[in-house]
Amino acid sequence: MPEEAGTFPSVRARLDEIADEVAREDIGLDEALALYEEAVKLGLAACDLSEADLEAAVGQGEGSAQEVPPETAEPVREPVADDAPYPGDDLG
């Protein structure tokens, strides 16, 4: 495995290859353990890629949207029955 994982598609492709290799009936224990270790490293690399993507997305979006405080957000209302009004609706 290269030092740098690269991209999600490359990590995913290698993990798919590893899954196919480990599924073979003739795989030895040493080879299976080596593949497992590689898969763990790839999983950690995928997490790092995910965090980097998230940080980049959050960095680009800063100041572009205002967050509504929970106490001012409109509550979600669900009907109590098919023909009943919503709780809190004005009936008159």
Side-chain angles (χ1 to χ4, degrees):
M1 179 181 89
E3 273 304 305
E4 179 134 358
T7 63
F8 281 111
S10 64
V11 169
R12 171 72 189 264
R14 181 59 187 144
L15 285 171
D16 288 341
E17 291 172 5
I18 290 172
D20 290 340
E21 291 179 44
V22 184
R24 290 189 345 244
E25 291 183 20
D26 64 337
I27 191 169
L29 180 59
D30 290 336
E31 185 180 0
L33 287 173
L35 289 169
Y36 171 78
E37 289 175 1
E38 182 181 353
V40 169
K41 289 177 185 176
L42 284 169
L44 293 172
C47 287
D48 291 342
L49 287 169
S50 175
E51 288 176 9
D53 285 350
L54 180 61
E55 289 171 1
V58 168
Q60 291 175 352
E62 284 185 8
S64 63
Q66 292 181 327
E67 188 173 316
V68 177
E71 61 275 1
T72 60
E74 189 171 328
V76 176
R77 300 183 300 167
E78 296 183 20
V80 291
D82 288 341
D83 58 347
Y86 288 100
D89 280 351
D90 187 12
L91 299 176

